[in-house]
Amino acid sequence: MTPFPLPADYARIRRVRSFEELVTTPLAEGVNALCWERALTGDFGEVVARLGEGEGIMPLDEAQLLVLPVSAAGRAAIKVMLDDLRRLREHGLVPELNCIHLYPRDEEPGPVPTDVYSFHADSATVEADTYLCTYHGAASEGLRNDEARRRVDIPETRAELLQVYGGVDDAAFGEFLSEHCYDLHYAPLPQARPISFGLGHLWRIATEWPGCPVPPCLHRAPETVPGDPARLLLIS
């Protein structure tokens, strides 16, 4: 399923022009994603190359990046990422910067996939948003809320989950779905057109938390296979 560029007419996404606008604009009146569109300078591919081969998820820190033997273009890319980390930290967040070769898959796939390759909503027990930016590699993908259905609401899937649960469809079953995060994952409808979050853009997206005034922003990590370029991803 090929993701499409950021649409101009999707009311749930609002473009902003600065970091200040990104962090201060309310997620309200149906808007569940803010995008600070940017054309970044620097050679992020060189940074990935200098980091070397790896597998899984490689956390990156400032000291590690600053000693990489890169060109001026690579140094410019590093500055961009460190500036984003600083901005988010100064805003009181705890961002992570990772070089991602491959995410882990579900060890025991069941009726509902729960790894990050599945369209899902982030959740929190208190008010919180997710910030993310892909600098290199395949970009994160979003899904319109009206083009998705919770997997636990699909009758066939719910019946399979009930078999796994071994009980009846009651409040305790709902708790079971929540404990295993099954209720956070969504299936695209046949006409769905996933949205590419693009490279270099810094996003703030709505999570699912008690009292949230907007639906959560549905998203996923892009499908990757061994040999694909590693991703540089900032997330908080």
Side-chain angles (χ1 to χ4, degrees):
M1 188 177 293
T2 303
F4 288 79
L6 182 60
D9 59 346
Y10 184 41
R12 293 203 184 279
I13 297 175
R14 178 173 298 172
R15 291 168 168 83
V16 298
R17 294 166 293 182
S18 67
F19 181 77
E20 181 65 21
E21 193 176 354
L22 183 73
V23 298
T24 59
T25 301
L27 292 175
E29 299 180 354
V31 175
N32 66 4
L34 302 173
C35 176
W36 180 20
E37 288 186 291
R38 308 180 296 179
L40 301 181
T41 58
D43 190 341
F44 296 91
E46 182 187 4
V47 175
V48 169
R50 290 297 186 182
L51 288 169
E53 297 296 325
E55 57 184 27
I57 303 172
M58 179 192 304
L60 305 176
D61 59 35
E62 182 174 356
Q64 180 182 9
L65 291 171
L66 289 177
V67 298
L68 286 178
V70 294
S71 67
R75 189 65 53 202
I78 290 171
K79 183 179 185 302
V80 166
M81 294 186 287
L82 294 182
D83 283 347
D84 282 345
L85 285 171
R86 174 186 52 78
R87 289 188 184 100
L88 292 173
R89 287 169 180 158
E90 289 177 352
H91 189 60
L93 301 174
V94 186
E96 298 178 3
L97 181 62
N98 295 312
C99 183
I100 302 165
H101 296 272
L102 205 65
Y103 282 110
R105 292 280 190 175
D106 289 335
E107 292 184 4
E108 298 180 5
V112 174
T114 57
D115 57 43
V116 295
Y117 294 110
S118 166
F119 281 111
H120 62 278
D122 293 340
S123 68
T125 57
V126 297
E127 182 176 355
D129 305 318
T130 295
Y131 290 77
L132 71 163
C133 176
T134 306
Y135 302 102
H136 183 267
S140 301
E141 300 173 11
L143 186 65
R144 296 172 185 254
N145 295 81
D146 59 356
E147 293 184 350
R149 187 178 185 185
R150 275 202 322 170
R151 292 185 181 273
V152 299
D153 295 329
I154 300 172
E156 297 81 3
T157 303
R158 197 173 187 89
E160 288 185 67
L161 288 167
L162 272 171
Q163 285 189 330
V164 174
Y165 173 63
V168 297
D169 196 341
D170 56 10
F173 178 56
E175 293 175 3
F176 165 80
L177 298 178
S178 179
E179 288 171 1
H180 291 82
C181 299
Y182 294 139
D183 57 341
L184 296 176
H185 288 261
Y186 290 74
L189 297 179
Q191 76 276 16
R193 293 163 59 94
I195 300 163
S196 172
F197 280 12
L199 294 179
H201 310 322
L202 184 56
W203 288 77
R204 174 181 157 213
I205 63 175
T207 68
E208 188 168 291
W209 53 271
C212 184
V214 295
C217 179
L218 310 181
H219 61 288
R220 73 175 179 185
E223 292 282 351
T224 54
V225 297
D228 282 351
R231 301 178 70 210
L232 285 176
L233 179 72
L234 174 71
I235 190 164
S236 178

